[in-house]
């Protein structure tokens, strides 16, 4: 087995993690209502607004301190999350001009610094990620947010409570995209000297939580925003402490020793023992896929559909599921078969080793005459499940059909930086695939952004430089179709093409396992990447 995973400093991280947990416990855990969470990321997400560290950063910092015009309803565990009013109370597209949208904003909302949220605040925040000439433009936040709203052309405040957004073409998916764009306080940025670095130490959003302290790579302490505009969602906890613990075994050790109350992504082999020890395990389906994203540049082996299909048929997903303690769903595409978007693809993604070997033989490849592919992976990260274990399993599976895999192991944030830079970037170092878990809550995030030929770097996240005119035409049809039934029919055709042409290595759908102390009460695990922490309390 060829792998650079053995070089990852797990012991080093374990020592750091336990030390940081002890520090945090000593400094922050005295309050009876303090919840201490061990995240999978290796650093605290930036509290600047459009935070880093993937969806985990958005979950714990992005949507705790800050808010978007459009929100997700995270109140139920029993149904998929739908869009709902956030800082905007309503929105609609102009019947005469489908590129013009009007948003009515929630009145009397204040940022944490006491300044008023208005339509001008939204204009300022859109400028911070879309307008390089604006004094508040932030390259870091732009990298996180620009690709999520590629059709936004212009925007203006009509009055304090009314905003106009104009898109470059009709875009029926705009509300979904705006749900991931959050609002920072313009007044606070001015107050700290017009510096985003200074803003990190004293950020201000409109969210239900405020930042009490922030120590990079160590901890963040969030406290309730007593002046939050929705009294029903003022947090019940005294504080929530976030700790970066990328090593899965260190997270388990911290939970078992009482240094934390909650851990993200417990490893599968620990789940039975944690249950037996009296810890609660929660999980739920959510819009997630864990694939390999293929490079389609000249020379990539993944340009051969026989190799792409063979790889998909070579993965023993049920065996992987057992390794994960049952905490996954086998992927047959970008979305599960019960999704209305799945359609009726003709290629059935399953474990069929003889069929995989036959396809490889047609391509002139076998276990005796193998090819080598390089894959960028991470040791941890938001939605990444158990990436080391899973990728080593894939490595073994693919070796059986003549694909020898070498790993380029990178920190989660570094992997995401390359994902945004694209496969042509020199930093890719010859890798033909990258492994990043993907959000699939809406058609743009699930399908369009990955393969639209117009969304290669730096415009978007078509990492592999895939280009297909038929696919682009269907993407345009999805964006410009405001009739739900007609739009759904095209979405299904797109997903069928994804599967029939094996455009990704489809591996797994996560179920978001979390392990926590029985003292944690009131948590409702929504069918979403994001969660509401305002309902949680701690037994004393």
């Amino acid at each position: 087995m060829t792998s650079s995973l053995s070089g990852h400093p797990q012991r080093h991280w374990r020592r750091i993690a336990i030390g940081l947990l002890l520090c945090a416990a000593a400094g922050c855990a005295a309050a009876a209502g303090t919840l201490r969470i061990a995240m999978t990321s290796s650093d605290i997400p930036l509290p600047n607004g459009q935070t880093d560290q993937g969806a985990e950063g958005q979950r714990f910092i992005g949507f705790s301190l800050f808010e978007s015009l459009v929100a997700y309803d995270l109140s139920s565990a029993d149904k998929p999350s739908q869009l709902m009013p956030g800082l905007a109370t309503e929105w609609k597209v102009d019947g005469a001009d489908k590129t013009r949208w009007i948003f009515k904003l929630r009145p009397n909302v204040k940022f944490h610094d006491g300044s008023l949220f208005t339509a001008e605040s939204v204009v300022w925040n859109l400028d911070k990620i879309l307008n390089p000439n604006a004094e508040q433009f932030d390259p870091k936040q732009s990298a996180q947010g620009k690709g999520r709203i590629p059709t936004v052309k212009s925007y203006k405040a009509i009055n304090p409570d009314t905003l106009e957004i104009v898109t470059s073409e009709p875009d029926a998916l705009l509300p979904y995209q705006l749900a991931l764009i959050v609002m920072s306080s313009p007044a606070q940025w001015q107050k700290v000297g017009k510096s985003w670095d200074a803003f990190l130490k004293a950020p201000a959003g409109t969210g239900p939580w405020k930042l009490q302290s922030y120590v990079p790579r160590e901890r963040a302490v969030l406290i309730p925003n007593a002046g939050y505009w929705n009294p029903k969602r003022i947090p019940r906890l005294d504080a929530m402490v976030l700790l970066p613990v990328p090593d899965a075994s260190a997270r388990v050790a911290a939970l078992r020793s009482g240094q934390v109350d909650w851990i993200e992504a417990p490893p599968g082999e620990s789940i039975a023992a944690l249950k037996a020890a009296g810890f609660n395990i929660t999980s739920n389906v959510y819009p997630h896929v864990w694939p390999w994203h293929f490079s389609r540049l000249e020379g990539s082996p993944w340009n051969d559909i026989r190799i792409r299909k063979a790889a998909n048929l070579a993965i023993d997903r049920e065996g992987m599921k057992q390794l994960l303690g049952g905490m996954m769903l086998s992927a047959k595409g970008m979305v599960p078969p019960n999704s209305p978007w799945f359609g009726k693809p003709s290629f059935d993604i399953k474990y069929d080793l003889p069929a995989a070997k036959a396809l490889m033989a047609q391509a002139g490849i076998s276990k005796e005459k193998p090819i080598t592919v390089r894959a960028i992976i991470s040791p941890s990260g938001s939605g990444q499940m158990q990436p080391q274990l899973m990728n080593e399993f894939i490595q073994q599976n693919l070796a059986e059909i003549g694909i020898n895999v070498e790993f380029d192991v990178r920190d989660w944030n570094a992997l995401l930086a390359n994902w945004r830079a694209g496969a042509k970037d020199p930093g890719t170092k010859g890798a033909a695939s990258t492994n990043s878990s993907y959000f699939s809550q809406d058609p743009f995030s699930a399908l369009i952004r990955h393969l639209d030929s117009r969304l290669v770097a730096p415009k978007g996240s078509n990492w592999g430089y895939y280009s297909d005119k038929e696919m682009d035409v269907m993407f345009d049809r999805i964006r410009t179709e405001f009739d739900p039934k007609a739009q759904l029919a095209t979405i299904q055709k797109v997903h069928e093409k994804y599967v029939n042409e094996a455009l990704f290595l489809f591996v797994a759908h996560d179920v978001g396992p979390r392990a926590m102390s029985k003292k944690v009460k009131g948590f409702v695990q929504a069918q979403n990447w994001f969660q509401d922490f305002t309902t949680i309390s701690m037994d004393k």
Side-chain angles (χ1 to χ4, degrees):
M1 183 187 302
T2 301
S3 172
S4 59
L5 286 174
S6 59
H8 183 69
Q10 294 183 8
R11 293 181 181 178
H12 170 73
W13 262 115
R14 192 174 293 115
R15 289 195 299 269
I16 291 178
I18 296 300
L20 296 180
L21 293 167
L22 287 169
C23 173
C28 308
T34 296
L35 172 67
R36 300 160 298 170
I37 296 176
M39 304 181 297
T40 69
S41 62
S42 60
D43 199 356
I44 295 296
L46 291 173
N48 54 357
Q50 294 299 139
T51 185
D52 61 351
Q53 302 294 338
E56 191 171 54
Q58 193 90 341
R59 179 188 310 134
F60 288 113
I61 291 290
F63 286 149
S64 293
L65 303 179
F66 308 93
E67 293 178 294
S68 50
L69 297 178
V70 182
Y72 280 106
D73 183 352
L74 304 175
S75 62
S76 173
D78 302 325
K79 59 186 179 182
S81 297
Q82 301 295 328
L83 295 181
M84 61 179 284
L87 292 175
T89 57
E90 59 181 284
W91 53 87
K92 63 180 180 180
V93 67
D94 190 326
D97 179 359
K98 294 295 178 64
T99 68
R100 183 175 180 266
W101 291 75
I102 298 296
F103 291 78
K104 292 292 185 180
L105 305 187
R106 194 174 297 280
N108 303 317
V109 172
K110 291 185 177 180
F111 288 103
H112 299 154
D113 60 352
S115 62
L116 194 64
F117 168 76
T118 67
E120 289 291 353
S121 307
V122 182
V123 170
W124 187 91
N125 274 275
L126 290 174
D127 274 345
K128 82 178 179 184
I129 60 175
L130 295 179
N131 183 5
N133 295 319
E135 64 174 354
Q136 73 270 25
F137 179 77
D138 182 7
K140 290 181 180 179
Q141 293 189 71
S142 180
Q144 302 293 338
K146 180 176 63 175
R148 300 192 182 280
I149 48 174
T151 62
V152 171
K153 180 181 178 182
S154 65
Y155 34 88
K156 66 179 181 180
I158 295 176
N159 59 51
D161 294 333
T162 308
L163 176 77
E164 175 191 87
I165 293 180
V166 176
T167 56
S168 57
E169 58 189 289
D171 187 354
L173 305 179
L174 183 65
Y176 287 104
Q177 296 163 24
L178 287 172
L180 298 174
I181 305 299
V182 299
M183 303 293 132
S184 309
S185 167
Q188 183 67 3
W189 182 79
Q190 294 272 351
K191 181 180 177 181
V192 298
K194 299 183 179 181
S195 164
W196 285 112
D197 288 338
F199 188 88
L200 294 175
K201 301 173 184 177
T206 63
W209 297 87
K210 300 169 68 173
L211 187 71
Q212 184 182 70
S213 64
Y214 163 67
V215 182
R217 305 190 76 83
E218 185 174 321
R219 67 184 180 275
V221 181
L222 279 59
I223 58 174
N225 173 15
Y228 185 58
W229 59 264
N230 184 354
K232 295 180 180 179
R233 291 194 63 238
I234 294 175
R236 301 176 185 180
L237 292 166
D238 295 313
M240 181 165 66
V241 182
L242 305 177
L243 303 156
V245 189
D247 184 72
S249 58
R251 292 196 297 275
V252 172
L255 181 65
R256 293 182 71 96
S257 64
Q259 296 175 55
V260 298
D261 312 293
W262 165 317
I263 64 172
E264 295 283 283
E269 69 271 14
S270 72
I271 289 175
L274 287 171
K275 286 182 178 178
F279 294 99
N280 288 329
I281 307 293
T282 70
S283 65
N284 206 346
V285 296
Y286 71 109
H288 171 285
V289 64
W290 193 99
W292 275 18
H293 193 149
F294 296 143
S295 168
R296 300 302 296 274
L297 298 178
E298 184 178 354
S300 171
W302 303 120
N303 286 327
D304 190 327
I305 190 172
R306 296 169 299 184
I307 298 177
R308 298 198 305 271
K309 284 189 170 183
N312 272 285
L313 294 172
I315 306 303
D316 179 10
R317 295 167 184 81
E318 287 304 308
M320 181 180 289
K321 184 175 181 178
Q322 292 178 19
L323 283 179
L324 297 177
M327 291 295 175
M328 69 164 264
L329 298 174
S330 296
K332 287 182 171 289
M334 291 297 276
V335 297
N338 64 351
S339 168
W341 300 348
F342 191 82
K344 297 179 179 179
S346 57
F347 179 49
D348 184 15
I349 294 174
K350 59 185 178 181
Y351 183 43
D352 189 339
L353 198 56
K357 289 181 176 180
L359 283 166
M360 294 298 283
Q362 292 176 22
I365 302 166
S366 66
K367 194 173 181 180
E368 293 69 34
K369 298 175 65 176
I371 60 171
T372 298
V373 299
R374 189 170 179 82
I376 300 173
I377 68 171
S378 67
S380 62
S382 172
Q384 290 293 81
M385 303 175 70
Q386 305 299 327
Q388 295 192 19
L389 179 68
M390 295 166 74
N391 277 301
E392 287 182 334
F393 190 85
I394 290 172
Q395 185 183 53
Q396 294 171 2
N397 284 174
L398 293 184
E400 291 298 311
I401 63 169
I403 301 176
N404 293 335
V405 178
E406 295 179 351
F407 291 132
D408 179 348
V409 186
R410 306 185 184 190
D411 174 80
W412 177 226
N413 247 16
L415 183 148
L416 289 178
N418 175 263
W419 176 65
R420 288 189 292 268
K424 285 185 179 180
D425 187 80
T428 302
K429 298 179 180 178
S433 49
T434 188
N435 166 224
S436 180
S437 54
Y438 289 143
F439 180 86
S440 56
Q441 185 80 32
D442 61 88
F444 176 78
S445 295
L447 302 170
I448 296 174
R449 64 175 175 153
H450 304 303
L451 298 182
D452 190 319
S453 67
R454 297 150 295 188
L455 294 180
V456 298
K459 294 182 179 179
S461 50
N462 180 350
W463 178 84
Y465 287 79
Y466 172 89
S467 180
D468 183 283
K469 290 182 179 179
E470 179 190 18
M471 190 71 98
D472 286 346
V473 168
M474 289 194 290
F475 287 156
D476 287 342
R477 198 173 299 148
I478 292 171
R479 285 192 187 101
T480 58
E481 181 55 74
F482 287 79
D483 177 71
K485 289 184 179 180
Q487 187 187 65
L488 176 60
T490 304
I491 292 171
Q492 290 171 340
K493 289 181 180 178
V494 164
H495 190 261
E496 288 168 2
K497 187 174 176 70
Y498 258 83
V499 177
N500 290 337
E501 298 183 12
L503 298 178
F504 284 70
L505 180 61
F506 304 109
V507 181
H509 301 292
D510 189 22
V511 293
R514 296 176 166 91
M516 57 191 71
S517 163
K518 285 192 173 181
K519 291 182 178 181
V520 180
K521 301 296 182 183
F523 175 58
V524 176
Q525 185 157 335
Q527 295 183 23
N528 202 295
W529 284 75
F530 313 121
Q531 302 296 328
D532 185 0
F533 303 101
T534 67
T535 63
I536 299 171
S537 60
M538 296 287 289
D539 271 357
K540 300 182 179 180

